[in-house]
Amino acid sequence: MKSSLKIATMVLAFAGLSFAAKAQTTTTTSTSTTTKSGIRYSIGVDAGIPVGDLKDTHKWNLGGSVQADIPVANQLFVTVNAGYNNIFGKKDLGGVSGADAPDIKLLPVKAGLKFFPIQNFYVQGEAGAAFLLNSDDTFKDKSVAFVYAPQVGVQFPVSANGNFIDAGIRYEATTKFNSALDSSKPSFLGVRVAYGF
């Protein structure tokens, strides 16, 4: 009798787990962030810290961006991204009062690819043009430079109708805005946290 009860309990437990797994699979498929189901848009906040020569004169950056993910194959999207980054200059450089580094105001426009090797985890690469909005204040001789940004992140659904959160870490860099100055090549380590729909 005890054996029959144990077997029945195990069968019911197995059936329950199988049903739960099936329900989870169905839910995941219907709210997946990696399948072809139309263009997805996201609006995000971008923040970061300067690296290279820029970290000597600038503290951090803050901005925002909008992005479209266009499906081209299962787990592969073409991305189009436009945003704004303000890289804040340090005050009193070298201990000299009033020797302030001007903020760098960038408008990057990029396109690239986003690939999901596993569910909800992606690798992304983008390239494009960065427009320097305050070239007169920053003593640069060009107002446009090449920009590139490799990124990794996670994208997970937050509702059954396809809304999602996209959180990524990236390295973003441009070529020089002034060929004579190494510090005219803004680069930073950044994060982007976005709401997608």
Side-chain angles (χ1 to χ4, degrees), residues 9 37 76 88 100 107 162 193:
T9 303
S37 63
L76 181 65
F88 295 93
D100 302 339
L107 181 78
V193 178

Side-chain angles (χ1 to χ4, degrees), residues 40-61:
R40 299 187 173 171
Y41 301 95
S42 62
I43 300 171
V45 175
D46 297 84
I49 53 170
V51 296
D53 292 336
L54 192 66
K55 72 177 185 289
D56 297 332
T57 56
H58 290 77
K59 300 181 284 190
W60 60 291
N61 71 289

Side-chain angles (χ1 to χ4, degrees), residues 163-174:
N163 295 347
F164 58 91
I165 298 293
D166 186 329
I169 299 171
R170 76 179 184 279
Y171 170 75
E172 184 164 312
T174 70

Side-chain angles (χ1 to χ4, degrees), residues 81 85 106-111 125-131 144-150 170-177 186-188:
N81 181 301
N85 278 307
L106 295 173
L107 181 78
V109 179
K110 302 170 287 188
E126 293 182 306
F131 299 90
V144 181
F146 175 74
V147 63
Y148 60 96
R170 76 179 184 279
Y171 170 75
E172 184 164 312
T174 70
T175 55
K176 295 178 184 177
F177 282 101
S187 57
F188 61 87

Side-chain angles (χ1 to χ4, degrees), residues 105-125:
K105 300 175 186 203
L106 295 173
L107 181 78
V109 179
K110 302 170 287 188
L113 294 174
K114 177 189 274 189
F115 177 67
F116 289 83
I118 59 174
Q119 181 76 19
N120 299 337
F121 173 79
Y122 66 84
V123 291
Q124 180 175 337

Side-chain angles (χ1 to χ4, degrees), residues 28-163:
T28 302
T29 303
S30 66
T31 60
S32 173
T33 59
T34 63
T35 55
K36 275 175 74 171
S37 63
I39 298 174
R40 299 187 173 171
Y41 301 95
S42 62
I43 300 171
V45 175
D46 297 84
I49 53 170
V51 296
D53 292 336
L54 192 66
K55 72 177 185 289
D56 297 332
T57 56
H58 290 77
K59 300 181 284 190
W60 60 291
N61 71 289
L62 183 65
S65 60
V66 293
Q67 181 169 300
D69 296 354
I70 305 160
V72 292
N74 198 30
Q75 299 176 278
L76 181 65
F77 294 79
V78 168
T79 63
V80 180
N81 181 301
Y84 173 78
N85 278 307
N86 190 81
I87 305 173
F88 295 93
K90 291 182 177 179
K91 306 293 183 197
D92 302 329
L93 291 174
V96 178
S97 180
D100 302 339
D103 293 352
I104 298 173
K105 300 175 186 203
L106 295 173
L107 181 78
V109 179
K110 302 170 287 188
L113 294 174
K114 177 189 274 189
F115 177 67
F116 289 83
I118 59 174
Q119 181 76 19
N120 299 337
F121 173 79
Y122 66 84
V123 291
Q124 180 175 337
E126 293 182 306
F131 299 90
L132 183 61
L133 302 179
N134 61 335
S135 58
D136 292 339
D137 298 339
T138 54
F139 308 106
K140 310 297 188 238
D141 60 359
K142 294 189 297 184
S143 58
V144 181
F146 175 74
V147 63
Y148 60 96
Q151 177 171 306
V152 296
V154 291
Q155 188 171 297
F156 50 92
V158 292
S159 72
N161 62 357
N163 295 347

